Amino acid sequence: MNPTALITGASRGIGRGIALELARLGWDLIVNYARNAAAAAETIEACLNAAQTQSRNIQVRSFQADIASADDREKLVAFAENSVGSLDLLVNNAGVAPLVRSDLLEATEESFDRLIATNLKGPFLLTQRVARAMIAAPQPPSTSGSRGRKIIFISSVSAYTASVNRGDYCISKAGVGMLTQLFAARLAEHGIGVFEIRPGIIATDMTHAVQAKYDALIQGGLTPIRRWGTPEDVAKAVAAIASDLLPFSTGEVLNVDGGFHMRTL
Ligand code: NAP
């Protein structure tokens, strides 16, 4: 029996990278997306091909759900339970940037509500729901090296870096850091490991509009490793957690940021 994962926001970008990596490792997957059914279908096809290259036989299904919506979250979990049974891994990846980057003194309530609902409230309530199901489900044997169940939050360097032109995003990601600690503390007794991955500047649709700005910053030495990150970089960290390579850790933060988080002198 393959281990099973639900990845939110896996139609594109980092979520798709995570899906591909887990597919190579032989996981059955639920690929969640918000609107882009065609991209989700591409992710499924790419995952099946990736699994095939490793002679893995996996099931990959997609499901449209807005993680900010209570109804949609419930439907998503019901779909996962009906199709793959109990989940071994939840990756809270779906997230949005502000539609407009506004100075802190001009930022709108509408943007704040959107960012908090999608990046913080949705992952909180989805995790609560999935964690209850994980606790209730018996631990199945697996063939892909995964032992305990896990929950991963994809936050950002914005969890601790103040960008005054997108304060709502920073606040939402700082909150995700506390979500990780809270669930790690609460779920350890149930053998569920909880981790936060903090990506730095990763080449996806989300950062496409600011590509020139970040090209210049990276060339100028913003990050000790002078290149853009890729979805695969983040996916490798997920794979390490999913494959149980950190068995005595929980509440841990993995920085996948080319060294951005270090202070240097
Ligand atoms: P992206 O390329 O814009 O992709 C976002 C994904 O999330 C898509 O699959 C999208 O689905 C889905 N999504 C958006 N809103 C959703 C909702 N309400 N419900 C369900 N799914 C939703 O973004 P990304 O760069 O891969 O970012 C992924 C995560 O990493 C986000 O949490 C982001 O904050 C975080 N992050 C990104 C970077 C970076 O530099 N890119 C850095 C640090 C952290 P559709 O395709 O249907 O729209």
Side-chain angles (χ1 to χ4, degrees):
M1 215 165 91
N2 293 334
T4 58
L6 163 59
I7 310 160
T8 66
S11 46
R12 296 180 285 122
I14 291 171
R16 177 185 284 183
I18 294 167
L20 284 169
E21 190 66 29
L22 292 177
R24 274 190 281 272
L25 294 172
W27 286 64
D28 287 343
L29 302 173
I30 306 292
V31 166
N32 158 248
Y33 66 99
R35 282 167 296 275
N36 203 332
E42 279 174 30
T43 299
I44 291 181
E45 197 181 335
C47 283
L48 293 174
N49 289 337
Q52 208 170 29
T53 63
Q54 305 299 312
S55 306
R56 305 278 198 184
N57 187 14
I58 64 166
Q59 306 280 328
V60 189
R61 298 173 179 85
S62 66
F63 194 82
Q64 188 281 328
D66 174 357
I67 55 156
S69 152
D71 274 0
D72 281 14
R73 285 192 303 272
E74 198 50 45
K75 286 177 191 155
L76 174 61
V77 175
F79 178 80
E81 286 173 347
N82 289 334
S83 50
V84 296
S86 65
L87 288 168
D88 296 303
L89 172 66
L90 166 65
V91 184
N92 285 295
N93 166 76
V96 289
L99 293 174
V100 181
R101 291 186 172 200
S102 308
D103 178 77
L104 199 62
L105 302 184
E106 309 298 333
T108 64
E109 183 168 346
E110 189 186 9
S111 180
F112 186 88
D113 286 348
R114 173 174 172 267
L115 274 278
I116 295 298
T118 307
N119 295 356
L120 186 58
K121 186 187 78 171
F124 170 48
L125 294 168
L126 181 64
T127 299
Q128 184 190 60
R129 175 67 179 78
V130 169
R132 279 197 224 119
M134 283 180 170
I135 291 167
Q139 188 89 294
S142 85
T143 54
S144 292
S146 166
R147 292 199 296 272
R149 292 181 165 134
K150 290 154 196 104
I151 294 169
I152 298 174
F153 292 96
I154 306 296
S155 68
S156 168
V157 293
S158 297
Y160 62 87
T161 304
S163 299
V164 296
N165 63 351
R166 51 193 166 112
D168 37 20
Y169 184 76
C170 298
I171 292 166
S172 71
K173 292 298 183 176
V176 170
M178 179 50 75
L179 271 190
T180 307
Q181 293 180 51
L182 288 165
F183 279 110
R186 180 65 182 84
L187 298 178
E189 67 179 289
H190 299 286
I192 301 170
V194 183
F195 297 84
E196 176 186 354
I197 296 177
R198 283 187 186 157
I201 301 167
I202 310 294
T204 67
D205 293 345
M206 187 180 274
T207 45
H208 189 66
V210 284
Q211 186 178 346
K213 174 188 167 182
Y214 285 136
D215 277 346
L217 287 171
I218 292 167
Q219 282 310 310
L222 179 73
T223 52
I225 301 175
R226 291 194 190 190
R227 68 165 174 85
W228 281 73
T230 64
E232 293 72 32
D233 291 322
V234 182
K236 294 286 182 198
V238 171
I241 295 165
S243 306
D244 220 14
L245 296 182
L246 302 167
F248 194 47
S249 299
T250 194
E252 194 59 64
V253 176
L254 277 78
N255 294 289
V256 182
D257 63 356
F260 174 87
H261 65 283
M262 289 190 290
R263 287 173 192 264
T264 55
L265 191 61

